[in-house]
Amino acid sequence: MNAKQKHAKQQIFTLLRESEMTEQQVESLFADWKFKQQCEKTNRILHQVNARGTYAYT
């Protein structure tokens, strides 16, 4: 993780601590974010597979 990413991470954690969200709400928010990250990764892989077409399997 580079310095810019670490700084962004620290800012996010600071905002979450200062918010009035419960721990359960924060965990739900994190779970939603993680799910969206996985969906994006899956979509990128599917796009790459579809872009290769059938010739990639011959």
PDB file of all heavy atoms in Angstrom, residues 33-56:
ATOM      1  N   TRP A  33     -19.492  -2.573   0.513  1.00  0.00           N
ATOM      2  CA  TRP A  33     -18.356  -2.140  -0.290  1.00  0.00           C
ATOM      3  C   TRP A  33     -17.578  -3.342  -0.812  1.00  0.00           C
ATOM      4  O   TRP A  33     -17.204  -3.400  -1.985  1.00  0.00           O
ATOM      5  CB  TRP A  33     -17.449  -1.240   0.548  1.00  0.00           C
ATOM      6  CG  TRP A  33     -16.175  -0.897  -0.147  1.00  0.00           C
ATOM      7  CD1 TRP A  33     -15.995   0.058  -1.110  1.00  0.00           C
ATOM      8  CD2 TRP A  33     -14.903  -1.520   0.048  1.00  0.00           C
ATOM      9  NE1 TRP A  33     -14.676   0.057  -1.515  1.00  0.00           N
ATOM     10  CE2 TRP A  33     -13.992  -0.895  -0.820  1.00  0.00           C
ATOM     11  CE3 TRP A  33     -14.452  -2.545   0.885  1.00  0.00           C
ATOM     12  CZ2 TRP A  33     -12.655  -1.269  -0.877  1.00  0.00           C
ATOM     13  CZ3 TRP A  33     -13.117  -2.914   0.819  1.00  0.00           C
ATOM     14  CH2 TRP A  33     -12.239  -2.278  -0.050  1.00  0.00           C
ATOM     15  N   LYS A  34     -17.339  -4.319   0.067  1.00  0.00           N
ATOM     16  CA  LYS A  34     -16.591  -5.515  -0.315  1.00  0.00           C
ATOM     17  C   LYS A  34     -17.335  -6.278  -1.415  1.00  0.00           C
ATOM     18  O   LYS A  34     -16.725  -6.755  -2.374  1.00  0.00           O
ATOM     19  CB  LYS A  34     -16.397  -6.399   0.917  1.00  0.00           C
ATOM     20  CG  LYS A  34     -15.369  -7.464   0.750  1.00  0.00           C
ATOM     21  CD  LYS A  34     -13.998  -6.868   0.803  1.00  0.00           C
ATOM     22  CE  LYS A  34     -12.963  -7.958   0.916  1.00  0.00           C
ATOM     23  NZ  LYS A  34     -11.628  -7.479   0.658  1.00  0.00           N
ATOM     24  N   PHE A  35     -18.667  -6.377  -1.291  1.00  0.00           N
ATOM     25  CA  PHE A  35     -19.472  -7.068  -2.298  1.00  0.00           C
ATOM     26  C   PHE A  35     -19.372  -6.357  -3.648  1.00  0.00           C
ATOM     27  O   PHE A  35     -19.201  -7.005  -4.684  1.00  0.00           O
ATOM     28  CB  PHE A  35     -20.930  -7.136  -1.835  1.00  0.00           C
ATOM     29  CG  PHE A  35     -21.850  -7.750  -2.847  1.00  0.00           C
ATOM     30  CD1 PHE A  35     -21.843  -9.116  -3.072  1.00  0.00           C
ATOM     31  CD2 PHE A  35     -22.714  -6.952  -3.582  1.00  0.00           C
ATOM     32  CE1 PHE A  35     -22.689  -9.686  -4.012  1.00  0.00           C
ATOM     33  CE2 PHE A  35     -23.558  -7.520  -4.527  1.00  0.00           C
ATOM     34  CZ  PHE A  35     -23.541  -8.880  -4.736  1.00  0.00           C
ATOM     35  N   LYS A  36     -19.433  -5.031  -3.634  1.00  0.00           N
ATOM     36  CA  LYS A  36     -19.333  -4.273  -4.884  1.00  0.00           C
ATOM     37  C   LYS A  36     -17.957  -4.436  -5.522  1.00  0.00           C
ATOM     38  O   LYS A  36     -17.844  -4.520  -6.744  1.00  0.00           O
ATOM     39  CB  LYS A  36     -19.644  -2.795  -4.631  1.00  0.00           C
ATOM     40  CG  LYS A  36     -21.106  -2.555  -4.354  1.00  0.00           C
ATOM     41  CD  LYS A  36     -21.398  -1.106  -4.061  1.00  0.00           C
ATOM     42  CE  LYS A  36     -22.855  -0.928  -3.692  1.00  0.00           C
ATOM     43  NZ  LYS A  36     -23.172   0.446  -3.316  1.00  0.00           N
ATOM     44  N   GLN A  37     -16.917  -4.496  -4.692  1.00  0.00           N
ATOM     45  CA  GLN A  37     -15.565  -4.726  -5.208  1.00  0.00           C
ATOM     46  C   GLN A  37     -15.492  -6.076  -5.920  1.00  0.00           C
ATOM     47  O   GLN A  37     -14.908  -6.185  -6.994  1.00  0.00           O
ATOM     48  CB  GLN A  37     -14.531  -4.689  -4.072  1.00  0.00           C
ATOM     49  CG  GLN A  37     -14.329  -3.329  -3.464  1.00  0.00           C
ATOM     50  CD  GLN A  37     -13.636  -2.391  -4.411  1.00  0.00           C
ATOM     51  OE1 GLN A  37     -14.262  -1.535  -5.009  1.00  0.00           O
ATOM     52  NE2 GLN A  37     -12.356  -2.532  -4.555  1.00  0.00           N
ATOM     53  N   GLN A  38     -16.067  -7.111  -5.304  1.00  0.00           N
ATOM     54  CA  GLN A  38     -16.061  -8.444  -5.903  1.00  0.00           C
ATOM     55  C   GLN A  38     -16.841  -8.452  -7.218  1.00  0.00           C
ATOM     56  O   GLN A  38     -16.420  -9.087  -8.187  1.00  0.00           O
ATOM     57  CB  GLN A  38     -16.645  -9.473  -4.933  1.00  0.00           C
ATOM     58  CG  GLN A  38     -15.709  -9.851  -3.814  1.00  0.00           C
ATOM     59  CD  GLN A  38     -14.429 -10.483  -4.318  1.00  0.00           C
ATOM     60  OE1 GLN A  38     -13.376  -9.863  -4.279  1.00  0.00           O
ATOM     61  NE2 GLN A  38     -14.511 -11.693  -4.791  1.00  0.00           N
ATOM     62  N   CYS A  39     -17.968  -7.749  -7.255  1.00  0.00           N
ATOM     63  CA  CYS A  39     -18.770  -7.677  -8.488  1.00  0.00           C
ATOM     64  C   CYS A  39     -17.982  -7.003  -9.607  1.00  0.00           C
ATOM     65  O   CYS A  39     -18.015  -7.457 -10.751  1.00  0.00           O
ATOM     66  CB  CYS A  39     -20.077  -6.921  -8.241  1.00  0.00           C
ATOM     67  SG  CYS A  39     -21.282  -7.835  -7.278  1.00  0.00           S
ATOM     68  N   GLU A  40     -17.289  -5.927  -9.278  1.00  0.00           N
ATOM     69  CA  GLU A  40     -16.478  -5.238 -10.284  1.00  0.00           C
ATOM     70  C   GLU A  40     -15.382  -6.150 -10.812  1.00  0.00           C
ATOM     71  O   GLU A  40     -15.130  -6.188 -12.014  1.00  0.00           O
ATOM     72  CB  GLU A  40     -15.864  -3.971  -9.690  1.00  0.00           C
ATOM     73  CG  GLU A  40     -16.866  -2.861  -9.459  1.00  0.00           C
ATOM     74  CD  GLU A  40     -16.230  -1.649  -8.805  1.00  0.00           C
ATOM     75  OE1 GLU A  40     -14.985  -1.539  -8.783  1.00  0.00           O
ATOM     76  OE2 GLU A  40     -16.989  -0.806  -8.321  1.00  0.00           O
ATOM     77  N   LYS A  41     -14.738  -6.886  -9.926  1.00  0.00           N
ATOM     78  CA  LYS A  41     -13.682  -7.807 -10.335  1.00  0.00           C
ATOM     79  C   LYS A  41     -14.243  -8.883 -11.254  1.00  0.00           C
ATOM     80  O   LYS A  41     -13.665  -9.194 -12.299  1.00  0.00           O
ATOM     81  CB  LYS A  41     -13.042  -8.440  -9.101  1.00  0.00           C
ATOM     82  CG  LYS A  41     -11.884  -9.353  -9.404  1.00  0.00           C
ATOM     83  CD  LYS A  41     -11.273  -9.888  -8.115  1.00  0.00           C
ATOM     84  CE  LYS A  41     -10.123 -10.825  -8.399  1.00  0.00           C
ATOM     85  NZ  LYS A  41      -9.558 -11.369  -7.152  1.00  0.00           N
ATOM     86  N   THR A  42     -15.391  -9.449 -10.877  1.00  0.00           N
ATOM     87  CA  THR A  42     -16.039 -10.474 -11.697  1.00  0.00           C
ATOM     88  C   THR A  42     -16.417  -9.916 -13.064  1.00  0.00           C
ATOM     89  O   THR A  42     -16.207 -10.578 -14.090  1.00  0.00           O
ATOM     90  CB  THR A  42     -17.291 -11.016 -10.980  1.00  0.00           C
ATOM     91  OG1 THR A  42     -16.892 -11.548  -9.712  1.00  0.00           O
ATOM     92  CG2 THR A  42     -17.973 -12.092 -11.791  1.00  0.00           C
ATOM     93  N   ASN A  43     -16.960  -8.711 -13.091  1.00  0.00           N
ATOM     94  CA  ASN A  43     -17.350  -8.102 -14.364  1.00  0.00           C
ATOM     95  C   ASN A  43     -16.144  -7.851 -15.267  1.00  0.00           C
ATOM     96  O   ASN A  43     -16.223  -8.032 -16.483  1.00  0.00           O
ATOM     97  CB  ASN A  43     -18.112  -6.800 -14.118  1.00  0.00           C
ATOM     98  CG  ASN A  43     -19.514  -7.047 -13.623  1.00  0.00           C
ATOM     99  OD1 ASN A  43     -20.086  -8.119 -13.823  1.00  0.00           O
ATOM    100  ND2 ASN A  43     -20.088  -6.070 -12.947  1.00  0.00           N
ATOM    101  N   ARG A  44     -15.016  -7.434 -14.673  1.00  0.00           N
ATOM    102  CA  ARG A  44     -13.797  -7.243 -15.476  1.00  0.00           C
ATOM    103  C   ARG A  44     -13.338  -8.556 -16.090  1.00  0.00           C
ATOM    104  O   ARG A  44     -12.974  -8.613 -17.265  1.00  0.00           O
ATOM    105  CB  ARG A  44     -12.678  -6.644 -14.615  1.00  0.00           C
ATOM    106  CG  ARG A  44     -12.796  -5.169 -14.380  1.00  0.00           C
ATOM    107  CD  ARG A  44     -11.493  -4.581 -13.847  1.00  0.00           C
ATOM    108  NE  ARG A  44     -10.991  -5.253 -12.666  1.00  0.00           N
ATOM    109  CZ  ARG A  44     -11.301  -4.923 -11.404  1.00  0.00           C
ATOM    110  NH1 ARG A  44     -12.137  -3.930 -11.185  1.00  0.00           N
ATOM    111  NH2 ARG A  44     -10.781  -5.591 -10.387  1.00  0.00           N
ATOM    112  N   ILE A  45     -13.380  -9.621 -15.299  1.00  0.00           N
ATOM    113  CA  ILE A  45     -12.967 -10.941 -15.805  1.00  0.00           C
ATOM    114  C   ILE A  45     -13.897 -11.393 -16.916  1.00  0.00           C
ATOM    115  O   ILE A  45     -13.451 -11.861 -17.973  1.00  0.00           O
ATOM    116  CB  ILE A  45     -12.927 -11.968 -14.651  1.00  0.00           C
ATOM    117  CG1 ILE A  45     -11.802 -11.623 -13.682  1.00  0.00           C
ATOM    118  CG2 ILE A  45     -12.756 -13.390 -15.193  1.00  0.00           C
ATOM    119  CD1 ILE A  45     -11.841 -12.402 -12.388  1.00  0.00           C
ATOM    120  N   LEU A  46     -15.204 -11.246 -16.708  1.00  0.00           N
ATOM    121  CA  LEU A  46     -16.166 -11.641 -17.736  1.00  0.00           C
ATOM    122  C   LEU A  46     -15.973 -10.833 -19.012  1.00  0.00           C
ATOM    123  O   LEU A  46     -16.064 -11.375 -20.116  1.00  0.00           O
ATOM    124  CB  LEU A  46     -17.599 -11.472 -17.228  1.00  0.00           C
ATOM    125  CG  LEU A  46     -18.067 -12.496 -16.206  1.00  0.00           C
ATOM    126  CD1 LEU A  46     -19.443 -12.113 -15.674  1.00  0.00           C
ATOM    127  CD2 LEU A  46     -18.103 -13.888 -16.812  1.00  0.00           C
ATOM    128  N   HIS A  47     -15.693  -9.559 -18.876  1.00  0.00           N
ATOM    129  CA  HIS A  47     -15.463  -8.716 -20.048  1.00  0.00           C
ATOM    130  C   HIS A  47     -14.228  -9.199 -20.816  1.00  0.00           C
ATOM    131  O   HIS A  47     -14.246  -9.263 -22.048  1.00  0.00           O
ATOM    132  CB  HIS A  47     -15.296  -7.258 -19.626  1.00  0.00           C
ATOM    133  CG  HIS A  47     -15.014  -6.338 -20.763  1.00  0.00           C
ATOM    134  ND1 HIS A  47     -15.979  -5.997 -21.683  1.00  0.00           N
ATOM    135  CD2 HIS A  47     -13.879  -5.713 -21.147  1.00  0.00           C
ATOM    136  CE1 HIS A  47     -15.437  -5.199 -22.589  1.00  0.00           C
ATOM    137  NE2 HIS A  47     -14.163  -5.006 -22.280  1.00  0.00           N
ATOM    138  N   GLN A  48     -13.170  -9.551 -20.099  1.00  0.00           N
ATOM    139  CA  GLN A  48     -11.961 -10.044 -20.754  1.00  0.00           C
ATOM    140  C   GLN A  48     -12.233 -11.363 -21.481  1.00  0.00           C
ATOM    141  O   GLN A  48     -11.775 -11.560 -22.606  1.00  0.00           O
ATOM    142  CB  GLN A  48     -10.845 -10.242 -19.732  1.00  0.00           C
ATOM    143  CG  GLN A  48     -10.287  -8.946 -19.204  1.00  0.00           C
ATOM    144  CD  GLN A  48      -9.270  -9.173 -18.102  1.00  0.00           C
ATOM    145  OE1 GLN A  48      -9.106 -10.280 -17.619  1.00  0.00           O
ATOM    146  NE2 GLN A  48      -8.594  -8.108 -17.683  1.00  0.00           N
ATOM    147  N   VAL A  49     -12.986 -12.253 -20.850  1.00  0.00           N
ATOM    148  CA  VAL A  49     -13.316 -13.537 -21.469  1.00  0.00           C
ATOM    149  C   VAL A  49     -14.152 -13.306 -22.724  1.00  0.00           C
ATOM    150  O   VAL A  49     -13.897 -13.888 -23.781  1.00  0.00           O
ATOM    151  CB  VAL A  49     -14.049 -14.463 -20.472  1.00  0.00           C
ATOM    152  CG1 VAL A  49     -14.624 -15.673 -21.177  1.00  0.00           C
ATOM    153  CG2 VAL A  49     -13.100 -14.888 -19.359  1.00  0.00           C
ATOM    154  N   ASN A  50     -15.156 -12.435 -22.613  1.00  0.00           N
ATOM    155  CA  ASN A  50     -16.022 -12.167 -23.769  1.00  0.00           C
ATOM    156  C   ASN A  50     -15.255 -11.472 -24.890  1.00  0.00           C
ATOM    157  O   ASN A  50     -15.524 -11.708 -26.061  1.00  0.00           O
ATOM    158  CB  ASN A  50     -17.219 -11.325 -23.336  1.00  0.00           C
ATOM    159  CG  ASN A  50     -18.188 -12.108 -22.487  1.00  0.00           C
ATOM    160  OD1 ASN A  50     -18.257 -13.338 -22.551  1.00  0.00           O
ATOM    161  ND2 ASN A  50     -18.932 -11.415 -21.649  1.00  0.00           N
ATOM    162  N   ALA A  51     -14.301 -10.618 -24.539  1.00  0.00           N
ATOM    163  CA  ALA A  51     -13.533  -9.909 -25.563  1.00  0.00           C
ATOM    164  C   ALA A  51     -12.630 -10.860 -26.326  1.00  0.00           C
ATOM    165  O   ALA A  51     -12.356 -10.652 -27.520  1.00  0.00           O
ATOM    166  CB  ALA A  51     -12.710  -8.794 -24.912  1.00  0.00           C
ATOM    167  N   ARG A  52     -12.164 -11.925 -25.695  1.00  0.00           N
ATOM    168  CA  ARG A  52     -11.298 -12.884 -26.373  1.00  0.00           C
ATOM    169  C   ARG A  52     -12.065 -13.708 -27.385  1.00  0.00           C
ATOM    170  O   ARG A  52     -11.522 -14.141 -28.374  1.00  0.00           O
ATOM    171  CB  ARG A  52     -10.634 -13.813 -25.350  1.00  0.00           C
ATOM    172  CG  ARG A  52      -9.630 -13.112 -24.505  1.00  0.00           C
ATOM    173  CD  ARG A  52      -9.005 -14.050 -23.516  1.00  0.00           C
ATOM    174  NE  ARG A  52      -8.175 -13.314 -22.589  1.00  0.00           N
ATOM    175  CZ  ARG A  52      -7.948 -13.673 -21.357  1.00  0.00           C
ATOM    176  NH1 ARG A  52      -8.470 -14.779 -20.876  1.00  0.00           N
ATOM    177  NH2 ARG A  52      -7.186 -12.941 -20.576  1.00  0.00           N
ATOM    178  N   GLY A  53     -13.322 -13.953 -27.089  1.00  0.00           N
ATOM    179  CA  GLY A  53     -14.148 -14.730 -28.016  1.00  0.00           C
ATOM    180  C   GLY A  53     -13.803 -16.199 -28.007  1.00  0.00           C
ATOM    181  O   GLY A  53     -13.052 -16.692 -27.171  1.00  0.00           O
ATOM    182  N   THR A  54     -14.356 -16.912 -28.962  1.00  0.00           N
ATOM    183  CA  THR A  54     -14.189 -18.374 -29.010  1.00  0.00           C
ATOM    184  C   THR A  54     -12.776 -18.774 -29.439  1.00  0.00           C
ATOM    185  O   THR A  54     -12.352 -19.875 -29.129  1.00  0.00           O
ATOM    186  CB  THR A  54     -15.211 -19.001 -29.964  1.00  0.00           C
ATOM    187  OG1 THR A  54     -15.068 -18.387 -31.246  1.00  0.00           O
ATOM    188  CG2 THR A  54     -16.623 -18.799 -29.455  1.00  0.00           C
ATOM    189  N   TYR A  55     -12.044 -17.909 -30.149  1.00  0.00           N
ATOM    190  CA  TYR A  55     -10.724 -18.292 -30.627  1.00  0.00           C
ATOM    191  C   TYR A  55      -9.750 -18.543 -29.480  1.00  0.00           C
ATOM    192  O   TYR A  55      -8.743 -19.223 -29.648  1.00  0.00           O
ATOM    193  CB  TYR A  55     -10.139 -17.243 -31.565  1.00  0.00           C
ATOM    194  CG  TYR A  55      -9.804 -15.928 -30.921  1.00  0.00           C
ATOM    195  CD1 TYR A  55      -8.548 -15.731 -30.336  1.00  0.00           C
ATOM    196  CD2 TYR A  55     -10.709 -14.871 -30.880  1.00  0.00           C
ATOM    197  CE1 TYR A  55      -8.214 -14.535 -29.744  1.00  0.00           C
ATOM    198  CE2 TYR A  55     -10.394 -13.672 -30.283  1.00  0.00           C
ATOM    199  CZ  TYR A  55      -9.154 -13.513 -29.719  1.00  0.00           C
ATOM    200  OH  TYR A  55      -8.825 -12.325 -29.123  1.00  0.00           O
ATOM    201  N   ALA A  56     -10.032 -18.034 -28.290  1.00  0.00           N
ATOM    202  CA  ALA A  56      -9.139 -18.234 -27.145  1.00  0.00           C
ATOM    203  C   ALA A  56      -9.169 -19.664 -26.647  1.00  0.00           C
ATOM    204  O   ALA A  56      -8.269 -20.095 -25.937  1.00  0.00           O
ATOM    205  CB  ALA A  56      -9.515 -17.280 -26.022  1.00  0.00           C
TER     206      ALA A  56
END
